[in-house]
Amino acid sequence: MHKKTIRDIPLKGMRALVRVDFNVPMDDAGQITDENRIQGALPTIQYLIEHEAKVILMSHMGRPKGAVNPKYSLAPVAQRLSHLLGQKVRMAKDVIGPDADAAVAELKDGGVVLLENLRYHAEEEKNNADFARKLASYGDVYVNDAFGTAHRAHASTEGVAHYLPAVSGFLIEKELQFLGQAVENPERPFVAVLGGAKVSDKLGVIKNLLDKVDTLIIGGGMAYTFVKAQGGEIGKSLLEEDKLDYAREMLEKARAKGVKLLLPEDTLAADSFSNDASSKVVLSGEIPEGWLGLDIGPKAQKAFSDAIKSARTVVWNGPMGVFELSNFASGTRAVAQAMADSDAVTIVGGGDSAAAVAQLGFAGKISHISTGGGASLEFLEGLELPGVAALNDK
Ligand code: AMP
């Protein structure tokens, strides 16, 4: 379903209430340590300014748990944004209080206001109707450009859309284009690569992707529950006992559907969970007692990379090993490299895999890096994201 975007509505003189994701990391001194999310919101904000809308921005920051807490103020973001836009961004001292009222009332065409942290109010996450209605009173149109929170039905992501014409900004538009194309109409072969610690985080994703993909690659800690389900010995590797039956079911589903399900044939095992541990390459189903798999082995790297390189569409979410430990990062690096080398449409889910791709300097070689880890997983799971569903159809 195609959703309206800011290109589809009149903007001149309109108050555009825009949900952005300015939840940037800050150090103890209140300095922004990574401004990627602010940069990501610029195209939408600049478009609105150029089209002479009055721009009212709103975001959450951290977890202030429904109380005002200066530690989570968005004021440093307003300062940084003023610099990036080359025009003053007025910081409202509250979210729906008198200062926000005044700031919005005094806004000129092309002007920008940033409301305080939405999560100063518990009503935000409760999707309280009064709170949503008050936020909506600041706008003539609602623009959602925060994909990272689109899987949550909060007042600023879902509630407000009931009271205003509701469209997406450019970030959400791009997410829907890439993720939507991948799950609805992918160029084949379509390969999905899943990793990370837990099977239980990806139950729905595995199940849904088995209906869509030609090849499903499972690496990372979650692979060992599958290896064990096939009768392998996995030593002290991560295991979710209560997901063994599920793993067997998925292996069977893959067989029945003719989907190739690739598990790591070999593993880099360690004698303890540490970067200085003794390590050796073993078959994933023959991990010695007391040892644990912390990364995929060289044969698995090659097999996974080959599958990625022969694909026309690839989606990747989750590291292949404990990549935070440098000696166990090469599997994750190999997958990132194969993604970067591929001519396919390459999509990286948010979180660890996006960070790995960025660290390696491959970001420019990936077709799309999602700005929402949880949201992109729910999308791949086939779930409807409330913050997207609430937007007006084209
Ligand atoms: P997730 O949040 O599920 O994407 O998992 C990411 C985490 O999984 C990272 O912190 C990795 O260190 C961890 N991880 C990946 N592979 C393994 C493994 N073989 N054993 C333990 N932890 C792992």
Side-chain angles (χ1 to χ4, degrees):
M1 182 65 72
H2 291 285
K3 296 294 182 180
K4 280 194 182 169
T5 78
I6 46 177
R7 272 188 278 264
D8 300 317
I9 54 165
L11 293 168
K12 189 172 163 49
M14 295 287 205
R15 295 171 305 158
L17 178 67
V18 191
R19 177 54 156 103
V20 285
D21 181 359
F22 284 162
N23 184 27
V24 290
M26 291 217 234
D27 63 18
D28 291 342
Q31 296 288 324
I32 298 165
T33 54
D34 176 354
E35 64 177 37
N36 264 327
R37 286 179 173 162
I38 307 176
Q39 295 273 7
L42 289 179
T44 293
I45 300 170
Q46 277 160 338
Y47 183 92
L48 294 169
I49 294 171
E50 280 159 23
H51 289 76
E52 298 174 71
K54 301 177 169 78
V55 185
I56 301 106
L57 302 171
M58 54 180 176
S59 174
H60 76 284
M61 161 81 82
R63 296 176 185 276
K65 302 197 174 136
V68 174
N69 181 342
K71 194 176 141 201
Y72 297 107
S73 171
L74 282 164
V77 175
Q79 234 180 27
R80 188 69 202 135
L81 185 61
S82 301
H83 178 78
L84 291 169
L85 290 173
Q87 78 177 61
K88 174 144 182 67
V89 173
R90 175 162 170 185
M91 184 67 216
K93 294 189 183 68
D94 45 30
V95 187
I96 52 166
D99 198 55
D101 287 352
V104 173
E106 289 160 21
L107 203 49
K108 305 236 175 354
D109 292 357
V112 183
V113 164
L114 173 59
L115 304 180
E116 251 305 357
N117 189 344
L118 290 158
R119 292 191 188 166
Y120 280 0
H121 293 259
E123 292 87 344
E124 159 66 0
E125 290 184 80
K126 292 189 182 131
N127 199 2
N128 174 280
D130 290 333
F131 183 69
R133 217 177 289 119
K134 175 65 192 176
L135 286 173
S137 74
Y138 290 148
D140 302 306
V141 296
Y142 167 64
V143 179
N144 191 356
D145 213 21
F147 186 71
T149 47
H151 59 315
R152 304 276 179 246
H154 293 165
S156 68
T157 63
E158 201 271 345
V160 284
H162 296 287
Y163 306 106
L164 294 172
V167 303
S168 80
F170 296 138
L171 267 182
I172 286 198
E173 181 188 34
K174 184 165 180 250
E175 295 278 0
L176 297 180
Q177 260 167 15
F178 276 95
L179 291 167
Q181 174 83 16
V183 295
E184 282 155 27
N185 189 21
E187 252 197 82
R188 295 187 180 277
F190 177 17
V191 176
V193 187
L194 296 177
K198 285 184 166 173
V199 183
S200 47
D201 287 344
K202 302 207 166 86
L203 297 176
V205 179
I206 295 171
K207 193 157 180 233
N208 191 47
L209 284 178
L210 282 175
D211 291 326
K212 315 264 179 199
V213 299
D214 301 293
T215 302
L216 178 62
I217 295 175
I218 297 183
M222 62 193 277
Y224 298 103
T225 297
F226 284 84
V227 172
K228 172 97 177 174
Q230 289 180 317
E233 297 292 338
I234 60 166
K236 274 195 311 183
S237 306
L238 278 186
L239 168 66
E240 284 169 271
E241 287 267 3
D242 61 338
K243 293 296 170 294
L244 283 168
D245 283 342
Y246 168 87
R248 279 184 207 106
E249 232 177 86
M250 292 304 113
L251 289 161
E252 179 46 39
K253 181 169 179 178
R255 244 189 313 272
K257 291 245 158 202
V259 171
K260 210 188 275 176
L261 198 154
L262 290 182
L263 295 169
E265 185 189 342
D266 57 353
T267 281
L268 182 59
D271 63 354
S272 70
F273 193 100
S274 127
N275 203 36
D276 318 318
S278 298
S279 65
K280 58 183 175 188
V281 174
V282 296
L283 291 177
S284 297
E286 296 180 11
I287 299 177
E289 220 171 285
W291 288 61
L292 66 168
L294 294 187
D295 196 7
I296 58 173
K299 281 190 186 140
Q301 285 186 23
K302 167 109 180 36
F304 292 4
S305 300
D306 287 347
I308 291 168
K309 283 177 193 161
S310 64
R312 296 301 310 152
T313 306
V314 193
V315 172
W316 175 31
N317 188 298
M320 294 293 102
V322 184
F323 73 108
E324 299 93 332
L325 305 178
S326 58
N327 290 334
F328 301 97
S330 60
T332 301
R333 213 178 301 127
V335 164
Q337 180 81 56
M339 296 280 291
D341 291 344
S342 157
D343 296 327
V345 175
T346 46
I347 301 171
V348 176
D352 290 331
S353 359
V357 163
Q359 258 172 35
L360 294 165
F362 294 155
K365 295 186 173 162
I366 303 293
S367 313
H368 178 65
I369 300 180
S370 177
T371 53
S376 65
L377 273 179
E378 289 201 13
F379 198 100
L380 295 176
E381 199 171 333
L383 300 176
E384 191 170 58
L385 311 184
V388 173
L391 302 177
N392 302 150
D393 295 327
K394 271 203 189 180

